[in-house]
Amino acid sequence: MNPPDQDLEFEKLLAFLKHARGFDFTAYKRATLQRRVQKRMALVGAPDYESYTAYLDVHPEEFQHLFNTILINVTAFFRDEEPWEFMRTDLIPKLLTMKGSDPVRVWVAGCASGEEAYTIAIVLAEVLGRDAFREQVKIYATDLDSEALTQSRQATYTRKDLEGIPAALVESYFTEVGERLEFDRELRRSVIFGRHDLIQDAPISRVDLLLCRNTLMYFNSDIQERILSRFHFALNEGGFLFLGKAETLLSHMSLFHPIDLKHRVFSKARASRLRDRSFFLNSPALETLTVSTNASSRLHEAVFEASTLAQIVVDIANRLTLANDRARALFGLSVADIGRPFQDLEISYRPVELRSSIDQALAQRRSITHKDIGLTPPGSEPIKIEVRVAPLFGELGDPVGTSISFEDVTTFSRLRDDLLNFNQELETAYEEVQSTNEELQTTNEELQSTVEELETTNEELQSTNEELETTNEELQSTNEELETINGELQRRTDELIQANFLLESILSSVPNGVVVVDPELVVLSWNIHAEDMWGLRSDEVVGMHLLNLDIGLPLDQLRAPIKACLADGTVRTVTLSATNRRGKPVSCEIHFSPLRGPSDARAGVMILMEATVTAPVAQP
Ligand SMILES: C[S@@+](CC[C@H](N)C(=O)[O-])C[C@H]1O[C@@H](n2cnc3c(N)ncnc32)[C@H](O)[C@@H]1O
């Protein structure tokens, strides 16, 4: 159960749906409806109806998802099987005999994705033969759900969808189109699909057979009643109504009566039948009124006196003429009252107004009855009586008086009240059973739709899994390739380390300063003797521009020979005066040798420096 404010929010949501999209779900059973809406809410992460309404407002695409969820389209060919066998062997032959060669109009209301409409088409075509079917039959199949109708019109189904159809019928009524099977195109022309709202739209008329299965149960009982009276109007006299297995109609027996309750087949109650019934209910029960015509007869008097039925007679001059023992006891009359004007007696107006009834009975020459009149006889418990005022006529048919009898109907009345109560309880219990039954069926359909969704999700997951497995295998093979490449790389790295180590050793073993620069004059190598000569460590200079170093060598004079060496690839030598790291003047002989890259391009220049300390120039 929802808290009351949630119920209110839910009603607001329904009003919003009606206003925004014209879908009126207010007539649907709340429990089912709320479960379906909550399903969508969970999917979009809306915590309550209010936020879901807001979500719908900004995500219009959600409307369609919601409607698809509410309008449960669960259906199948030959759904529930058994009733269809009854249709084939019993009802349809009966209907066709009734119709002769006249057109046969069928309405499938709430047809979902079309399976039911094509099922009835197959059954009719089987009984009638294809040609007669084409000539005689029109099937109108309607639903509120436009997407379901589009599917219906396509008339193509998967093999799994056709599982409920006997193989021989699949063979004769479907043809393969790619991976799907299509319903016979010729017969398909007799099936017309259209959008129709059972709650709001006028019914299709002059229908001989109306199928509305597993749809009524979604609506509350008021709307079910309204739709059923439209169905009554829609059907021709003698037409049939075929419902789903949770739908029984026992409380609408005035409109339809069961042909086969087990299979939920009903026929339209004839209008005349309704009239007869109401006539029957309203007419007074037939009764023989025995009036003594010879008041003087002692025998008659004795019988009259001893009767257990209280009775009085009023003559034509409105005087009380007779009152038997029972009547006197009931109304406290005495022998002295005999002969008094009737209007002077209390009995003339209590417990019921009799004076006007006497006039009416005499004028209309028929009995007047007053039912269920309460009376408390002197010194007794209250009772219920039925008062009958019957005119009395003489031999020539002239009115001679009125007989008024008072029948004690207390027991009967009590029994009737008990019966009424019992009937009421029975009806309530029945309605509860019916509604529980419908609720169960709708829950069942919801479950079926969830199972279908899960099956689809499962299939998607399976295919994703297969894709993942393929990707995994590809990754494994890429991994193996990478491992091979990695091994190769490792081997090369080892070789490189060794080569570097060798190069370092060679450069260190050269007794001169060795510097290697790339074509941009960035220092690539700076051996230990260069460190010793110029006072800068290898890690301070590698990566620096040679000409930007701050050492005792006039570096700008190296630019030209390096460029020339790079340009023509020949060895050059220059001698420069410099100052070593100890501040001693040296003469530095510098050799420039080009380095070749893998494609014979100049990869840089190797600079070999040999410094000789020069004697300081003697001061004059
Ligand atoms: C569970 S399906 C029943 C399908 C089919 N009759 C059967 O028994 O297999 C219920 C169908 O009722 C339709 N429906 C719901 N509300 C409707 C309405 N107001 N008017 C017409 N169809 C409606 C739904 O769209 C859905 O296709």
Side-chain angles (χ1 to χ4, degrees):
M1 278 266 277
N2 289 321
D5 58 335
Q6 274 302 292
D7 281 340
L8 192 68
E9 287 306 327
F10 188 69
E11 296 310 314
K12 281 193 199 162
L13 168 61
L14 295 187
F16 172 72
L17 293 179
K18 187 175 174 185
H19 173 73
R21 291 297 164 108
F23 275 88
D24 184 1
F25 291 115
T26 51
Y28 289 61
K29 285 188 188 151
R30 288 294 178 279
T32 317
L33 205 54
Q34 288 183 344
R35 273 201 303 276
R36 307 304 289 167
V37 174
Q38 281 163 9
K39 190 170 175 206
R40 282 307 309 167
M41 284 164 58
L43 281 172
V44 303
D48 50 35
Y49 296 127
E50 197 179 356
S51 22
Y52 186 60
T53 309
Y55 183 90
L56 277 166
D57 207 15
V58 279
H59 298 92
E61 72 283 358
E62 175 60 15
F63 280 102
Q64 197 52 51
H65 298 306
L66 176 66
F67 296 155
N68 285 346
T69 310
I70 293 178
L71 301 175
I72 301 168
N73 292 142
V74 171
T75 186
F77 285 97
F78 289 92
R79 186 171 184 184
D80 304 329
E81 212 175 327
E82 248 188 67
W84 288 103
E85 188 54 19
F86 174 76
M87 294 291 273
R88 188 180 69 81
T89 56
D90 199 309
L91 195 89
I92 298 293
K94 206 179 273 171
L95 172 70
L96 295 176
T97 311
M98 203 166 81
K99 296 300 291 184
S101 56
D102 287 348
V104 176
R105 287 161 65 87
V106 180
W107 179 14
V108 183
C111 65
S113 38
E115 285 85 336
E116 196 169 69
Y118 295 122
T119 303
I120 190 67
I122 293 174
V123 172
L124 280 162
E126 281 294 288
V127 181
L128 268 175
R130 280 165 182 265
D131 291 342
F133 175 88
R134 286 282 303 122
E135 273 170 32
Q136 256 185 285
V137 178
K138 276 272 172 291
I139 298 174
Y140 301 91
T142 62
D143 202 285
L144 182 64
D145 186 342
S146 309
E147 276 190 14
L149 286 171
T150 309
Q151 270 176 275
S152 308
R153 289 189 184 104
Q154 280 163 357
T156 66
Y157 299 90
T158 63
R159 276 236 174 251
K160 190 162 180 289
D161 295 333
L162 303 191
E163 270 169 9
I165 313 179
L169 295 182
V170 174
E171 186 67 23
S172 28
Y173 290 94
F174 290 86
T175 37
E176 287 204 45
V177 179
E179 298 210 325
R180 297 175 77 85
L181 290 115
E182 185 182 14
F183 183 70
D184 189 304
R185 287 194 185 177
E186 188 68 16
L187 302 187
R188 159 84 183 75
R189 287 200 201 114
S190 303
V191 190
I192 299 128
F193 289 96
R195 189 173 182 280
H196 178 278
D197 185 346
L198 282 170
I199 301 173
Q200 296 179 29
D201 299 337
I204 289 172
S205 59
R206 290 178 292 111
V207 173
D208 299 300
L209 173 61
L210 202 168
L211 294 85
C212 183
R213 309 184 67 221
N214 307 299
T215 301
L216 281 179
M217 63 190 187
Y218 289 101
F219 306 122
N220 63 37
S221 54
D222 289 353
I223 294 297
Q224 286 193 13
E225 200 154 313
R226 198 194 311 163
I227 295 174
L228 282 168
S229 64
R230 288 193 185 154
F231 283 175
H232 184 267
F233 170 80
L235 279 167
N236 280 331
E237 288 297 324
F240 298 108
L241 173 66
F242 181 22
L243 298 178
K245 70 169 178 241
E247 299 155 328
T248 46
L249 281 201
L250 281 184
S251 40
H252 301 91
M253 284 314 182
S254 56
L255 296 179
F256 299 95
H257 65 91
I259 294 289
D260 188 310
L261 206 51
K262 182 171 164 224
H263 297 121
R264 307 293 188 255
V265 179
F266 303 81
S267 73
K268 169 174 170 163
R270 286 172 185 280
S272 58
R273 207 183 122 87
L274 288 174
R275 267 201 308 278
D276 292 350
R277 189 169 169 272
S278 61
F279 173 76
F280 174 75
L281 284 179
N282 293 335
S283 70
L286 293 176
E287 189 183 329
T288 340
L289 181 68
T290 312
V291 180
S292 170
T293 51
N294 185 359
S296 63
S297 159
R298 294 176 71 87
L299 190 58
H300 278 163
E301 260 176 39
V303 170
F304 178 74
E305 188 64 17
S307 172
T308 52
L309 187 70
Q311 200 171 359
I312 60 171
V313 175
V314 177
D315 68 11
I316 198 71
N318 265 333
R319 286 173 192 285
L320 179 67
T321 314
L322 293 169
N324 71 359
D325 186 40
R326 179 86 182 119
R328 292 197 301 273
L330 268 185
F331 300 104
L333 296 169
S334 69
V335 180
D337 292 321
I338 304 296
R340 288 182 62 189
F342 186 60
Q343 67 269 25
D344 294 352
L345 302 171
E346 187 183 344
I347 190 176
S348 68
Y349 55 89
R350 208 192 315 267
V352 60
E353 166 56 49
L354 289 175
R355 291 161 300 188
S356 53
S357 300
I358 291 173
D359 294 344
Q360 195 184 344
L362 287 169
Q364 295 177 359
R365 300 174 75 86
R366 64 174 185 89
S367 297
I368 308 288
T369 306
H370 298 278
K371 295 189 177 200
D372 278 342
I373 308 296
L375 174 71
T376 310
S380 299
E381 293 288 304
I383 58 169
K384 288 262 185 233
I385 56 170
E386 186 172 303
V387 182
R388 183 164 299 122
V389 182
L392 301 173
F393 301 101
E395 277 171 4
L396 300 175
D398 51 322
V400 293
T402 319
S403 155
I404 307 167
S405 57
F406 306 86
E407 190 179 356
D408 183 349
V409 291
T410 315
T411 318
F412 167 76
S413 167
R414 199 173 300 133
L415 279 176
R416 198 195 47 203
D417 287 349
D418 288 351
L419 196 67
L420 273 178
N421 285 342
F422 178 70
N423 262 348
Q424 195 87 39
E425 280 169 23
L426 203 67
E427 210 159 283
T428 316
Y430 165 72
E431 272 166 18
E432 277 167 20
V433 169
Q434 171 76 5
S435 122
T436 312
N437 203 15
E438 289 180 358
E439 187 69 21
L440 270 176
Q441 182 69 9
T442 47
T443 313
N444 202 15
E445 304 220 329
E446 283 178 56
L447 278 176
Q448 204 173 325
S449 117
T450 310
V451 166
E452 282 171 12
E453 283 168 18
L454 281 177
E455 271 177 4
T456 316
T457 315
N458 202 19
E459 278 167 19
E460 284 169 9
L461 278 177
Q462 254 177 13
S463 103
T464 313
N465 205 18
E466 281 165 14
E467 280 170 24
L468 277 177
E469 270 175 18
T470 317
T471 315
N472 204 15
E473 280 168 16
E474 284 171 9
L475 277 176
Q476 252 176 14
S477 105
T478 312
N479 208 15
E480 280 165 14
E481 281 171 26
L482 277 176
E483 269 175 18
T484 316
I485 293 170
N486 208 16
E488 179 73 6
L489 207 65
Q490 189 64 39
R491 203 172 53 73
R492 295 259 171 105
T493 307
D494 290 347
E495 282 175 12
L496 201 65
I497 290 171
Q498 237 172 343
N500 264 344
F501 184 71
L502 189 64
L503 193 67
E504 290 267 309
S505 317
I506 293 169
L507 286 177
S508 307
S509 64
V510 175
N512 302 318
V514 178
V515 175
V516 179
V517 292
D518 70 6
E520 308 304 324
L521 305 196
V522 173
V523 178
L524 298 177
S525 188
W526 183 270
N527 81 347
I528 193 157
H529 297 294
E531 284 184 8
D532 192 42
M533 284 169 77
W534 309 117
L536 288 178
R537 291 193 316 278
S538 164
D539 57 347
E540 290 173 311
V541 296
V542 169
M544 306 278 287
H545 196 280
L546 177 68
L547 303 189
N548 290 344
L549 298 182
D550 184 14
I551 56 175
L553 193 65
L555 289 169
D556 54 331
Q557 294 183 38
L558 302 189
R559 183 193 304 271
I562 293 173
K563 291 283 175 199
C565 182
L566 280 169
D568 59 15
T570 55
V571 177
R572 281 197 168 50
T573 304
V574 294
T575 304
L576 295 174
S577 296
T579 307
N580 71 7
R581 77 178 168 97
R582 294 182 189 86
K584 295 264 169 52
V586 291
S587 162
C588 193
E589 192 173 303
I590 306 170
H591 303 275
F592 301 90
S593 317
L595 294 177
R596 296 196 190 288
S599 57
D600 209 29
R602 313 270 182 263
V605 175
M606 186 169 81
I607 306 164
L608 200 76
M609 295 174 280
E610 189 179 353
T612 318
V613 178
T614 50
V617 181
Q619 294 293 320

